[in-house]
Amino acid sequence: MLNDLPEQAPDKILMLMQMYREDPREQKIDLGVGVYRDAEGKTPVMRAVKAAEERIWKTQETKAYTGLAGDPAYAATLSRMILGEAHDEGRIAAVATPGGTGAIRQAFEMIGRASPEATIWLSAPTWPNHPSILKHLGRPMAEYRYFDAKTGLVDFDGMMADLAGIKEGDVVLLHGCCHNPTGANLSLEQWQQVADHLKAKGALAMIDIAYQGFGDGLDADAAGTRLIVKTLPEVLVAASCSKNFGIYRERTGLLMAIGEGPDAKKKAQGTLNYLNRQNFSFPPDHGARIVTTILDDEALKADWMAELEDVRNGMLALRQQLADELRQRSNSDRFDFIARHRGMFSRLGATPEQVDHMRDENGIYMVGDSRINIAGLNANTVPILAQALVDAGV
């Protein structure tokens, strides 16, 4: 049987990471990796996370299962952080999941059970796992225009023109903030137009929010999600704690199904519990307990927020430095969009041939569509990247 399995295409980012490791050059830059790195190239454990883990180690008395939905305290405190003033306990069903990917998978499964004929609309481009999971599940999907490669900004007119084709009951997947892979984000006014359109069409919004706090701040990054939740009767929100808490390997996610009232909440909660049971039974707890410990303690929360702000401001400074270097070296403003992008990623507009050239000639590794991880840079490597982009003719 095992010999009859089809060959799977290798993961392009993992292949890129392998090529980087095998490159013998001392001067090389890895901009393909999808995790935050500091100026020394490390992904540090945050201070508040270390303190929370020490507290858990000293006080935890059991490693027994929590429940199919995970610890209720985790869902309660994280949902409040994400939804803010839009939080309404009477509307929210929630489950802990193995990372944000687990939340997305469960959301897609839930949509399939409730409305198997619903088309799920994805931004073009989007995170590659979105269409990959949908294809694996056999769910109908379609794309809407999102990124204007010429300006480096959101093609909002194209987006709305494509979303004119959604039908009642369809699902539109939106990135809550820090769009991956482009870095280009909707304004709050554009969020409102999208929300009003979905409401008029009778469509459901699904929000993937994986980088809250990496863009303009915790509340600003959640503003679009909160607006959607306040406007629409039903919303799915898939959240990840990997980035903003730096607990990638703990696999800490949350899926919220937000309905119109107690009856919808009860049915949604039962379905979410059922899906967890079928896929992995009980979700992991250690990362969720870290998050709960931090958010429910004012001192730990303040320290976490302060360090998160340092991370955010560091990435903004790198963006501005890169945009300034490119303006000077190219004698044009065509790269100014980099400073307007938010989060870890930006798509630079290089061709695959130019990407290959920079890898071969300069030891600069980025994904073939020219998505770069800003956090893979530091103040010393920004000028190297800028010159390589100009020399490659980008």
Side-chain angles (χ1 to χ4, degrees), residues 192-223:
Q192 186 65 66
Q193 291 183 55
V194 172
D196 292 341
H197 179 66
L198 297 186
K199 186 175 182 179
K201 285 282 192 173
L204 182 142
M206 177 177 165
I207 311 292
D208 180 358
I209 184 163
Y211 300 93
Q212 186 182 358
F214 269 32
D216 292 309
L218 280 170
D219 287 328
D221 288 349

Side-chain angles (χ1 to χ4, degrees), residues 39-255:
E40 298 177 354
K42 299 177 181 178
T43 303
V45 180
M46 299 179 82
R47 296 185 302 266
V49 169
K50 279 185 172 289
E53 285 192 302
E54 183 177 6
R55 184 177 301 179
I56 292 166
W57 178 71
K58 288 180 177 179
T59 61
Q60 192 172 53
E61 296 179 348
T62 182
K63 291 290 186 180
Y65 297 126
T66 52
L68 288 176
D71 184 359
Y74 165 67
T77 195
L78 186 59
S79 62
R80 285 195 297 269
M81 185 194 82
I82 296 168
L83 298 181
E85 74 280 0
H87 187 275
D88 180 349
E89 185 64 32
R91 296 181 63 195
I92 303 169
V95 288
T97 60
T101 303
I104 290 163
R105 170 63 182 264
Q106 299 297 69
F108 288 161
E109 293 246 31
M110 188 180 207
I111 293 165
R113 289 184 65 82
S115 184
E117 72 284 354
T119 297
I120 300 174
W121 292 71
L122 308 175
S123 65
T126 191
W127 183 47
N129 253 17
H130 289 150
S132 176
I133 295 172
L134 286 171
K135 182 179 179 182
H136 175 73
L137 293 174
R139 299 262 69 81
M141 57 179 156
E143 286 187 331
Y144 59 87
R145 279 171 286 176
Y146 185 82
F147 186 64
D148 185 336
K150 292 182 179 179
T151 65
L153 304 174
V154 175
D155 177 9
F156 190 67
D157 289 341
M159 176 181 179
M160 295 304 290
D162 289 346
L163 290 182
I166 62 176
K167 297 180 175 61
E168 183 177 359
D170 281 355
V171 180
V172 177
L173 194 156
L174 301 159
H175 295 230
C177 63
C178 306
H179 186 272
N180 179 7
T182 70
N185 299 287
L186 298 173
S187 68
L188 201 57
E189 293 75 20
Q190 290 170 335
W191 273 103
Q192 186 65 66
Q193 291 183 55
V194 172
D196 292 341
H197 179 66
L198 297 186
K199 186 175 182 179
K201 285 282 192 173
L204 182 142
M206 177 177 165
I207 311 292
D208 180 358
I209 184 163
Y211 300 93
Q212 186 182 358
F214 269 32
D216 292 309
L218 280 170
D219 287 328
D221 288 349
T225 300
R226 295 171 184 179
L227 188 154
I228 289 282
V229 170
K230 287 188 288 187
T231 303
L232 299 181
E234 294 186 341
V235 183
L236 299 178
V237 180
S240 169
C241 298
S242 294
K243 291 83 178 174
N244 51 11
F245 286 88
I247 51 175
Y248 295 88
R249 65 178 61 174
E250 303 299 349
R251 311 311 301 133
T252 308
L254 183 74
L255 174 60

Side-chain angles (χ1 to χ4, degrees), residues 27 29 31 321-331 334-335 338 348 354 357-358 361-362 364 366 377 380-394:
Q27 183 173 292
I29 305 172
L31 303 179
Q321 182 189 359
L322 180 57
D324 291 344
E325 289 278 356
L326 283 164
R327 178 182 275 258
Q328 178 185 350
R329 293 167 192 266
S330 69
N331 196 32
R334 69 179 186 272
F335 293 103
I338 294 171
L348 300 180
Q354 291 168 329
H357 175 85
M358 287 184 281
E361 298 297 321
N362 308 102
I364 296 173
M366 65 181 74
L377 294 166
N380 296 321
T381 56
V382 165
I384 298 171
L385 173 61
Q387 190 60 51
L389 285 165
V390 173
D391 290 345
V394 179

Side-chain angles (χ1 to χ4, degrees), residues 6-25:
E7 290 283 347
Q8 297 298 318
D11 185 283
K12 293 180 181 179
I13 294 179
L14 295 180
M15 285 180 60
L16 191 70
M17 291 168 62
Q18 183 65 28
M19 291 173 64
Y20 174 83
R21 284 193 294 267
E22 294 174 353
D23 190 331
R25 287 175 287 188

Side-chain angles (χ1 to χ4, degrees), residues 55 292-302:
R55 184 177 301 179
T292 305
T293 301
I294 292 171
L295 294 182
D296 286 351
D297 182 282
E298 289 301 321
L300 288 179
K301 183 178 180 181

